[in-house]
Amino acid sequence: MTVMRRLRHRKVLIFALLAILCISSMCVADDDSMDDDFLAEILAEEARHEEEAALMEAEAREYEAMKARQYSGNAGNTNNMGGGKPKMGGAGSGMPKGAGSGSFNKLEEELKKKEAEKASLQAAKEEEEQEQEAERIRLKREAAFEADLKKMNEEQKKKAQQQKKKDAKIVNRILKASKSGKHYAVLGIRNFEVQIGPYYVFNFSIGPLVLFRVKTKAIKRVYRNLARTVHPDKNKDGRAEEAFHALEQSAAILTDEKQRQDYDKKIISARRRRNKYAVDSVMRVSHTCWSQTASTLKMTKKVLGPFSTPILVVGALIMP
């Protein structure tokens, strides 16, 4: 009996040991599987990062290839103009012609458009701020002038108001000319400068000849005289300070040789465009009048028949 009990106890112990070993092995397996899952996630994340980096590198290479194709295409067009025949097919011909350069040009145009819009918005903002500052200064000066009027008697008020009207006329003229970009008119100078030429004879050039050019000394003298009149300490108009800055800007442009040459070129080109437009308009109107007159004479001759010539002659003689 005791032997049987001992055998049973041994079997129970053996089963207990086996159960403990199974549980420990399962825990180890679970830990190993968790470690494997964590390692797999890390590897997948690294693979995803590598794929993104490879995609970015491919896009960069494609962009550089587009630029290279554009430059090579421009060089090829230049060579083809010299008489060579363009090559068809070959390496790189799998892409449609002009596809890369078209995409690059489109991207470049979009960037330029955005930059232009940004610059225009910035310029508009700065102009608005300048206008607000000028208006603030004008109101401040007007209030100071009204305060000074209260301290004067009737005769002094009348003289001050008359002088203010004269000052306002000068200031308005300067600001109007400055807004139009007419720097000579800002200084009150009549610009009769005329450029003749240049004319090209064979391999020689004659000119350009410049006539009636205003000297820099005369511009400086006019600026000094006008600056005394428009200076904010002497001029009582509310916008005198704005006009003084416009006067300084115009004088700086006209007294600098390079800036003055560039400005004179713009004036000459604008004048030539205006003259060309006037001549074209006159020629167009003359051609229209001549066409209508010819069609009227033709219709009159067709209606009157053989009597058209005598009637037209008599009509021309009767007309005063």
Side-chain angles (χ1 to χ4, degrees), residues 175-194:
L175 292 176
K176 183 179 179 181
S178 177
K179 190 174 181 180
S180 302
K182 300 177 180 179
H183 298 298
Y184 287 103
V186 169
L187 294 169
I189 297 173
R190 306 280 298 202
N191 182 28
F192 297 106
E193 183 176 328
V194 179

Side-chain angles (χ1 to χ4, degrees), residues 19-33:
I20 292 170
L21 290 173
C22 290
I23 292 170
S24 62
S25 63
M26 289 174 63
C27 292
V28 172
D30 290 338
D31 293 338
D32 293 339
S33 63

Side-chain angles (χ1 to χ4, degrees), residues 61-237:
R61 286 195 298 270
E62 185 179 359
Y63 180 74
E64 295 294 334
M66 286 165 57
K67 290 174 65 176
R69 279 195 295 271
Q70 185 191 17
Y71 297 146
S72 62
N74 292 336
N77 292 333
T78 306
N79 294 331
N80 291 334
M81 290 174 64
K85 295 182 179 180
K87 295 181 179 181
M88 303 298 293
S93 62
M95 192 173 184
K97 184 179 179 181
S101 60
S103 301
F104 179 74
N105 291 335
K106 186 177 179 181
L107 179 62
E108 190 175 4
E109 288 176 1
E110 290 178 357
L111 290 174
K112 287 182 179 179
K113 187 177 180 181
K114 289 181 180 179
E115 289 178 358
E117 290 177 356
K118 185 178 180 181
S120 62
L121 290 174
Q122 184 67 21
K125 184 178 179 181
E126 291 178 357
E127 185 178 359
E128 185 179 358
E129 291 177 353
Q130 290 176 1
E131 290 178 357
Q132 291 176 356
E133 181 67 17
E135 183 64 18
R136 186 187 65 79
I137 293 172
R138 185 189 71 82
L139 294 175
K140 183 179 179 181
R141 288 177 58 83
E142 291 289 345
F145 179 75
E146 293 295 332
D148 291 339
L149 285 179
K150 293 179 181 179
K151 301 176 183 179
M152 301 178 184
N153 55 31
E154 293 299 326
E155 186 177 357
Q156 291 175 344
K157 285 183 181 179
K158 188 176 180 180
K159 289 182 179 180
Q161 289 173 350
Q162 290 177 352
Q163 183 62 38
K164 188 174 184 296
K165 288 182 180 179
K166 294 179 181 179
D167 294 342
K169 189 180 293 185
I170 298 172
V171 168
N172 290 333
R173 180 188 65 78
I174 291 174
L175 292 176
K176 183 179 179 181
S178 177
K179 190 174 181 180
S180 302
K182 300 177 180 179
H183 298 298
Y184 287 103
V186 169
L187 294 169
I189 297 173
R190 306 280 298 202
N191 182 28
F192 297 106
E193 183 176 328
V194 179
Q195 180 176 334
I196 302 174
Y199 299 104
Y200 297 95
V201 180
F202 298 106
N203 293 330
F204 301 96
S205 62
I206 302 174
L209 301 176
V210 180
L211 303 176
F212 310 113
R213 181 176 177 82
V214 182
K215 295 182 179 180
T216 306
K217 291 183 179 179
I219 294 174
K220 290 181 179 179
R221 183 174 63 252
V222 172
Y223 164 69
R224 285 194 295 268
N225 295 333
L226 193 58
R228 296 191 189 99
T229 306
V230 188
H231 196 277
D233 293 341
K234 187 174 182 181
N235 194 297
K236 298 302 180 182
D237 188 76

